[in-house]
Amino acid sequence: MSTSTQPEKHKFQAEVQQLLDIVINSLYTDREIFVRELVSNASDALEKLRHIQLTEKEVFDDRLPMEINITTDDTAKTITIQDFGIGMTRDELVENLGTIAHSGSKAFLQALRESGGKGESLIGQFGVGFYSAFMVAKRVRVFTRSWTKDESGWCWTSEGAGSYQIEPAEGQRRGSKIIVELKDDCGEFSGADHIRGILRRYSSFVQFPINLNGEKVNTVQALWLRNKNEIKDEEYTEFYKFAANAFDEPRYRLHFSADAPIAINSLLFVPNDNPERLGFGRVDPGVALYCRKILIDNHPKALLPEWLRFLKGVVDSEDLPLNISRESMQDSALVQKLNRLLTKRFLKFLEKEAEKRPDGYAEFFTHFGFFIKEGAATDFTHREQLTNLLRFESNLTEKGNLTSLKDYVSRAKEGQEEIYYLSGRSRESIESGPYLEAFKARNLEVFYLYEPVDEFVMNNLHEFEGRKFASADQSDLKLDDSPPPATGEALAEDETRDLCRWMRDVLGDRVAEISPGKRLVNSPALVLNADKMMTPTMRRMMKAMNQDFDDQAKVNLEVNPRHSLIRKVASLRKSNEKLARLATEQIFDNAMISAGLLEDPRRIVDRVYELLEAATEHAGTTTAGKPGTRDAEGKT
Ligand code: ADP
Ligand code: MG
């Protein structure tokens, strides 16, 4: 530690300076959040002190009140935020205010890089912490004295540009006092009324008294410890906004207490929007862990299963040892018990919502279904409940409506052993493909899967109530024998067999088997995978995930002997084999397109020209070889 009494100049870590440049130059409209950030730091410092007082005997200035004092001076244009919390040593000043050590700013920089530099809109969402003071400050001074007995006082000063300095400061009490000297265009932040409004908005639930120019502005409220029946909706919403640092209204809330097997008070929220869906990357666990109002960890990893990381709120348990460290928490049997209890309660809550308010649940599922799916595929303990909470569209639902596995089974035909699904980008793309028609013709329900995770879930779950999940593009499905309604005359069986053999020659190595299909109704042909595990959907996914995926697998081709095009090809091959070959190639490639398996669409272009030529030649002969008649046709 330095003993010099001269100011020492330090350079900010490069990342801090990068952040400061954005903050200083931002025209960000919500500059007022700097108040929230500094107050939350003061509150953190007090909480940490309370924690320390319970485990340490010697704390400097032990009798100071646990409060935050804010003073405004509209002549000097300053605002001062002062707390009697843990304070900082000289080394801690360097570490905490000179480097990016904390998660909020790190996440901000990360998001900034990913967003390509749109800093301003991100500041509010991440809270850039202490550095937000530089949105409004010409200069910031931090006077501080650590709680440890043998320390002395320090003053940290910076104008935000490149460097800061640290010098000894005599006569400091414990804690920190932050003096913000406002920029010329930020004078309003030295007005008491303005600051009172900001404090109301952001800091109502801070656990310590906040005095503004000597007058208390907040009422201390640990909402989760109060009786449910006495809490108003607005209070919950306000608490949510504070606890989750959020701007939306919560979609669901679950407030509950229990005494056994563990004493627990908990207030959980589901946000309105899913930030992962909005592209912000994986979110940190958002339910904070308290013991008797003392914060243990804001983002405890072990408190809830991974798939519940979207929850926000507070869990408070008296049974937790206060001095539990973040590291040992992972293994704590007590935290695991809390985890099981919370998960069980939340799942029960969702089940009830799904039953009582299915529309609201469906909307929840549209936003947060990803997490339920992740849970169903990975959390064996809760698999059954999670599976029941899954929802999908199907050919029997309206577009946008969802149905459950239970409902599917209740509608299934007698003797139907499988639960069918088809993957595709959209309802339209699934319904325009050739795979659905066999199921439609037999009145079988097929789930529509739109997201890659869906198929992953099906493969992991394997079955539901004794019925196996089966992709409708799988080649070994046993559909019942009742033939689909004929759409016309069919080729005779021996003709079909000949045709298939001939097509096999034309297509060569690209296909394993060609057979007349039972599935087809309106399409001339479809491809199925020769390898039964590797459905076209699976192949598509493998390719999307791995560019080098070695796709040597052959396909089987099913042709529809009832389809007029197939019947025409059968006769054409005797009169104009060249054209019949072209048509066969094109039918095959079309089927590959429908399966999403066509690698190189360019070869189609050339072939289509050839086909067009043949067609126009043919048309030319029927209009007595008069070129130009076709153009005139439209006008007559
Ligand atoms: P965060 O609060 O997310 O950790 P901040 O940028 O707000 O990030 O603060 C950085 C660090 O500076 C804090 O983690 C804390 O260690 C320290 N700090 C800030 N304000 C105070 C304060 N009033 N008292 C003690 N330490 C503080
Ligand atoms: Mg902070």
Side-chain angles (χ1 to χ4, degrees):
M1 206 212 348
S2 161
T3 49
S4 137
T5 53
Q6 290 303 305
E8 279 180 8
K9 201 166 165 176
H10 298 255
K11 282 184 88 159
F12 283 116
Q13 184 194 32
E15 280 179 308
V16 174
Q17 192 53 50
Q18 188 191 349
L19 189 115
L20 278 169
D21 290 342
I22 295 162
V23 166
I24 290 169
N25 297 319
S26 94
L27 296 171
Y28 189 60
T29 45
D30 290 340
R31 284 171 157 176
E32 61 188 36
I33 60 150
F34 87 91
V35 179
R36 175 190 73 186
E37 295 298 328
L38 297 185
V39 168
S40 100
N41 284 351
S43 163
D44 286 350
L46 286 164
E47 280 199 36
K48 285 178 196 158
L49 185 83
R50 192 145 83 175
H51 211 299
I52 284 166
Q53 280 173 325
L54 289 163
T55 49
E56 299 281 339
K57 280 181 219 82
E58 302 225 331
V59 171
F60 174 68
D61 249 354
D62 212 4
R63 295 178 167 229
L64 289 172
M66 299 293 272
E67 63 187 23
I68 300 166
N69 293 304
I70 301 177
T71 44
T72 54
D73 183 338
D74 60 2
T75 323
K77 302 284 179 228
T78 60
I79 170 170
T80 303
I81 292 158
Q82 182 255 337
D83 65 73
F84 297 123
I86 52 168
M88 282 178 270
T89 65
R90 186 192 154 282
D91 291 347
E92 283 166 347
L93 277 172
V94 173
E95 171 71 21
N96 297 340
L97 305 186
T99 65
I100 298 260
H102 57 298
S103 59
S105 317
K106 255 193 199 148
F108 172 76
L109 279 177
Q110 177 74 22
L112 189 71
R113 266 177 222 130
E114 282 161 15
S115 77
K118 288 233 165 92
E120 291 178 17
S121 57
L122 293 171
I123 291 176
Q125 287 168 39
F126 285 88
V128 286
F130 172 79
Y131 305 111
S132 62
F134 289 97
M135 287 198 287
V136 298
K138 286 207 256 255
R139 183 164 78 138
V140 176
R141 276 178 296 158
V142 180
F143 292 91
T144 186
R145 167 70 162 87
S146 164
W147 65 275
T148 28
K149 277 246 142 125
D150 304 328
E151 281 293 331
S152 50
W154 297 97
C155 174
W156 179 102
T157 312
S158 177
E159 285 159 21
S163 67
Y164 58 92
Q165 59 183 42
I166 296 180
E167 60 196 297
E170 293 303 318
Q172 297 302 311
R173 288 187 289 178
R174 189 195 65 228
S176 308
K177 180 165 77 181
I178 296 161
I179 304 178
V180 179
E181 292 165 43
L182 296 163
K183 289 188 204 168
D184 295 340
D185 62 344
C186 296
E188 74 263 30
F189 296 107
S190 62
D193 289 342
H194 191 61
I195 295 297
R196 190 175 300 109
I198 297 172
L199 289 171
R200 287 248 163 81
R201 195 151 49 250
Y202 292 112
S203 309
S204 296
F205 297 100
V206 169
Q207 311 223 23
F208 304 96
I210 301 175
N211 303 311
L212 176 62
N213 299 333
E215 192 188 317
K216 189 172 163 191
V217 290
N218 66 329
T219 42
V220 180
Q221 290 275 23
L223 204 61
W224 60 92
L225 295 177
R226 277 176 50 193
N227 188 333
K228 272 205 267 211
N229 305 325
E230 295 164 6
I231 305 175
K232 294 199 213 78
D233 280 353
E234 304 87 80
E235 288 180 282
Y236 276 124
T237 303
E238 224 178 313
F239 179 80
Y240 161 75
K241 288 186 181 175
F242 179 74
N245 208 346
F247 300 92
D248 56 352
E249 306 261 315
R251 184 177 286 280
Y252 283 141
R253 70 160 187 262
L254 172 60
H255 185 179
F256 75 93
S257 311
D259 293 325
I262 333 173
I264 181 173
N265 286 286
S266 137
L267 181 47
L268 305 177
F269 296 95
V270 174
N272 191 55
D273 298 316
N274 168 4
E276 290 191 10
R277 206 161 160 249
L278 300 174
F280 279 112
R282 208 177 163 80
V283 295
D284 273 344
V287 177
L289 186 59
Y290 285 74
C291 168
R292 293 182 201 148
K293 294 201 255 180
I294 299 178
L295 183 70
I296 292 176
D297 191 344
N298 247 325
H299 304 284
K301 285 221 156 52
L303 184 61
L304 289 166
E306 283 265 311
W307 59 268
L308 277 176
R309 62 187 177 277
F310 63 94
L311 285 182
K312 305 284 181 196
V314 170
V315 171
D316 192 323
S317 174
E318 303 176 14
D319 292 343
L320 282 167
L322 257 183
N323 55 0
I324 188 170
S325 75
R326 284 176 196 195
E327 291 69 41
S328 66
M329 226 182 59
Q330 299 276 354
D331 319 313
S332 153
L334 210 59
V335 173
Q336 282 169 26
K337 257 194 211 165
L338 281 173
N339 182 317
R340 277 197 297 275
L341 183 76
L342 290 163
T343 309
K344 224 172 81 192
R345 282 302 293 257
F346 186 70
L347 282 170
K348 222 168 85 189
F349 168 80
L350 282 185
E351 280 167 6
K352 249 172 131 181
E353 285 295 325
E355 192 190 312
K356 288 196 177 149
R357 283 170 284 273
D359 290 350
Y361 178 75
E363 210 184 296
F364 158 81
F365 195 85
T366 310
H367 285 84
F368 293 90
F370 178 85
F371 298 101
I372 305 296
K373 291 168 189 172
E374 183 184 315
T378 57
D379 184 343
F380 296 99
T381 322
H382 305 105
R383 169 163 281 182
E384 201 183 314
Q385 276 169 295
L386 282 160
T387 307
N388 281 323
L389 286 166
L390 294 173
R391 297 289 181 274
F392 299 101
E393 279 188 35
S394 83
N395 55 330
L396 301 189
T397 68
E398 300 278 316
K399 183 184 169 78
N401 287 359
L402 303 177
T403 187
S404 68
L405 293 168
K406 271 213 156 81
D407 287 343
Y408 180 108
V409 169
S410 74
R411 286 188 290 261
K413 288 183 144 183
E414 212 182 315
Q416 182 186 335
E417 282 168 15
E418 283 153 328
I419 294 176
Y420 303 110
Y421 62 85
L422 266 175
S423 299
R425 259 177 269 285
S426 65
R427 192 173 181 98
E428 291 71 24
S429 82
I430 291 172
E431 293 188 339
S432 66
Y435 297 100
L436 187 65
E437 51 193 54
F439 297 84
K440 250 165 112 177
R442 290 172 175 79
N443 219 356
L444 292 167
E445 183 162 12
V446 179
F447 279 133
Y448 293 171
L449 312 187
Y450 303 133
E451 293 175 52
V453 66
D454 294 336
E455 188 136 7
F456 177 70
V457 171
M458 296 301 186
N459 286 334
N460 265 276
L461 292 181
H462 218 65
E463 59 169 44
F464 178 77
E465 295 188 353
R467 288 163 214 250
K468 290 208 162 45
F469 290 111
S471 182
D473 56 10
Q474 206 166 297
S475 55
D476 64 340
L477 287 185
K478 282 186 232 81
L479 295 180
D480 75 38
D481 258 352
S482 66
T487 50
E489 222 174 289
L491 277 184
E493 235 172 79
D494 55 339
E495 276 179 298
T496 311
R497 212 177 312 116
D498 282 354
L499 177 69
C500 288
R501 212 173 290 137
W502 176 81
M503 286 175 99
R504 177 80 184 71
D505 284 345
V506 174
L507 296 171
D509 274 352
R510 281 169 287 170
V511 287
E513 263 174 45
I514 302 187
S515 56
K518 273 190 208 143
R519 301 182 184 218
L520 290 158
V521 183
N522 297 317
S523 306
L526 60 69
V527 299
L528 297 164
N529 260 54
D531 174 354
K532 80 167 188 183
M533 287 311 290
M534 210 30 125
T535 64
T537 315
M538 277 300 267
R539 280 169 69 166
R540 222 159 42 223
M541 267 170 52
M542 300 291 282
K543 273 190 214 166
M545 287 188 299
N546 176 6
Q547 299 288 313
D548 304 327
F549 173 63
D550 184 21
D551 192 15
Q552 295 300 318
K554 286 183 189 168
V555 293
N556 292 338
L557 186 71
E558 273 193 9
V559 296
N560 182 356
R562 292 167 300 277
H563 197 279
S564 64
L565 181 59
I566 297 297
R567 282 187 282 134
K568 279 182 187 146
V569 170
S571 61
L572 189 64
R573 94 184 148 95
K574 286 157 203 154
S575 60
N576 184 348
E577 182 168 356
K578 184 172 166 241
L579 187 55
R581 277 175 173 272
L582 279 177
T584 301
E585 295 263 359
Q586 191 62 39
I587 289 168
F588 175 67
D589 276 350
N590 280 6
M592 291 292 275
I593 291 174
S594 292
L597 291 175
L598 193 79
E599 288 284 79
D600 180 11
R602 272 168 309 182
R603 71 170 186 239
I604 291 190
V605 176
D606 290 335
R607 185 179 321 115
V608 169
Y609 283 138
E610 272 187 73
L611 282 165
L612 280 175
E613 221 161 277
T616 46
E617 230 167 66
H618 182 67
T621 56
T622 55
T623 52
K626 268 196 277 167
T629 24
R630 279 169 65 85
D631 286 345
E633 257 170 18
K635 291 169 197 148
T636 52

